[in-house]
Amino acid sequence: MAWRLRPEDRTALARGYALLGAGGGGTTTMLELMVDRARPDTIDIADVEDLDPATPCLGAAFVGSTILLGERLPGNDPFGRLIAAAERWLGTRIPAVCSLEGGGLNGLSPLLLSGSRAVVDADCTGRAVPELDQMSLFVDRVPGLVFTCDTGAGGVALVETDRAVDAERIVRSAIIQAGGAGGAVLAGFTVGDLREHAMPGHQRRALELGRSFLDAEASPLPVLAAALHGRLLTQGRIAAIVPAGGDPHVKVAEITGPSGSVDRVVTRSESLAVLSDGALLSASPSVILILDAVSREILQVTDLAPGRQVAVLDLPAPEWWQERPERLRRVVPSAYGLDELDAA
């Protein structure tokens, strides 16, 4: 059933997406401001069952460094040229938009297009992920997908391929040429495809999660974890941030646990696993959430530093990833080269 996102609900929705960022995906402040400016009124959200399944749909997201994106702010219409290129290639207008990445700032991106397209309550990841070939439509090999992206200086690149890795590599190269951050649009699918090959109802889930967080934000940490239907894994002071293995992007935050345990959070661009005295407590696709234990700020992995008091929680993994083995292997730690950290 269709529902309405009121202006007063947007903070809760943004907090929900920040929680689902798993320490990645970027902070939501910039997108909150952009949405408030572009769409100050109530926004209608359609469930996938509300629209004709043959309705063409697109997903829009920002790709690359979220830090650079904050330094080089997008224009008033960051996806217009990219959508126009996709529509010319496909030969049809695309009247609906869904979420490509349901964690971090990109969860709010579809709202920027709500003045010209129907916003569909569906998402292609359910949590922040680092690579475009991890979009659910690519994981399930939906045919006919088209990516468009910025190349810099007003240029647009278009990629149509049945190999998901091609889209990831070519779009990533174009975004690097564009300066390290830019927009991307995925098209060539329909609202009907979202029913099987995406996660319907994810915006509503993010909104409910954000409301629960705001209501329990000042509560004791075990109460807050319960309100989020999650678990409090550890809390304490970060003793060190150290590299792990041969990947320079993989870091380990070592935490002195409350009972003297040595707890470790393994991160890349997101938080991927938590261990206590060597025993695995949680791993992706579960959503590993790190909070400042004092302020309850939702932390990015880049915010972690020695001396900071943190609390580490995990939230249930999106069910879609666990329904099939071929889906699950795209988001477990071994997909990031960390074979020993997959949960049993």
Side-chain angles (χ1 to χ4, degrees):
M1 181 182 295
W3 53 284
R4 310 193 81 190
L5 179 69
R6 302 170 300 173
E8 57 266 33
D9 292 329
R10 295 180 186 180
T11 297
L13 180 64
R15 294 301 173 276
Y17 280 127
L19 295 168
L20 293 167
T27 57
T28 60
T29 303
M30 181 184 70
L31 263 291
E32 292 178 66
L33 295 172
M34 292 176 66
V35 170
D36 286 344
R37 182 177 64 180
R39 298 292 295 162
D41 300 322
T42 297
I43 297 173
D44 292 328
I45 310 292
D47 284 344
V48 293
E49 293 84 3
D50 297 329
L51 301 178
D52 185 332
T55 303
C57 190
L58 63 86
F62 293 100
V63 180
S65 168
T66 57
I67 296 174
L68 286 176
L69 192 64
E71 295 175 351
R72 296 173 23 235
L73 299 178
N76 292 329
D77 187 16
F79 302 114
R81 291 178 296 104
L82 309 181
I83 294 171
E87 290 179 333
R88 286 196 303 271
W89 183 264
L90 296 170
T92 186
R93 185 177 184 276
I94 306 173
V97 60
C98 69
S99 170
L100 267 191
E101 184 181 31
L105 62 86
N106 276 327
L108 300 174
S109 295
L111 304 182
L112 295 174
L113 302 173
S114 59
S116 58
R117 287 165 173 79
V119 178
V120 186
D121 189 355
D123 174 71
C124 295
T125 63
R127 49 160 291 148
V129 296
E131 297 184 354
L132 297 173
D133 54 358
Q134 291 174 293
M135 306 295 108
S136 62
L137 296 163
F138 274 127
V139 171
D140 272 4
R141 300 185 179 184
V142 174
L145 298 177
V146 174
F147 246 123
T148 59
C149 68
D150 286 320
T151 63
V156 176
L158 185 146
V159 183
E160 182 179 37
T161 177
D162 291 332
R163 290 204 315 168
V165 69
D166 289 349
E168 161 61 23
R169 291 173 178 172
I170 295 171
V171 171
R172 193 71 58 184
S173 296
I175 292 297
I176 291 171
Q177 178 176 304
V185 165
L186 179 64
F189 61 95
T190 67
V191 170
D193 290 324
L194 297 175
R195 298 181 182 182
E196 165 67 16
H197 307 297
M199 299 162 214
H202 190 72
Q203 282 181 325
R204 198 188 298 267
R205 184 200 173 199
L207 177 59
E208 293 170 353
L209 195 62
R211 284 172 173 166
S212 296
F213 176 79
L214 293 174
D215 288 344
E217 187 175 5
S219 301
L221 288 166
V223 175
L224 175 58
L228 300 176
H229 302 287
R231 297 183 297 158
L232 176 62
L233 301 179
T234 187
Q235 63 184 99
R237 176 181 174 274
I238 296 179
I241 305 289
V242 298
D247 188 336
H249 301 292
V250 177
K251 307 290 184 184
V252 174
E254 296 186 351
I255 299 169
T256 303
S259 60
S261 60
V262 177
D263 300 331
R264 294 179 172 87
V265 182
V266 182
T267 70
R268 206 166 185 269
S269 54
E270 292 81 29
S271 299
L272 297 177
V274 182
L275 303 95
S276 181
D277 289 336
L280 185 66
L281 300 181
S282 180
S284 176
S286 293
V287 178
I288 297 169
L289 166 64
I290 306 176
L291 302 175
D292 186 292
V294 179
S295 69
R296 304 300 165 84
E297 177 187 357
I298 301 168
L299 302 178
Q300 300 285 294
V301 295
T302 51
D303 296 324
L304 304 182
R308 191 158 201 172
Q309 294 284 338
V310 298
V312 183
L313 295 73
D314 79 342
L315 309 181
E319 293 180 2
W320 186 91
W321 290 107
Q322 302 181 86
E323 289 174 351
R324 300 177 188 171
E326 62 269 23
R327 292 174 176 174
L328 184 59
R329 63 171 171 258
R330 295 293 296 118
V331 286
V332 292
S334 58
Y336 305 86
L338 302 170
D339 295 349
E340 71 280 5
L341 296 179
D342 288 358

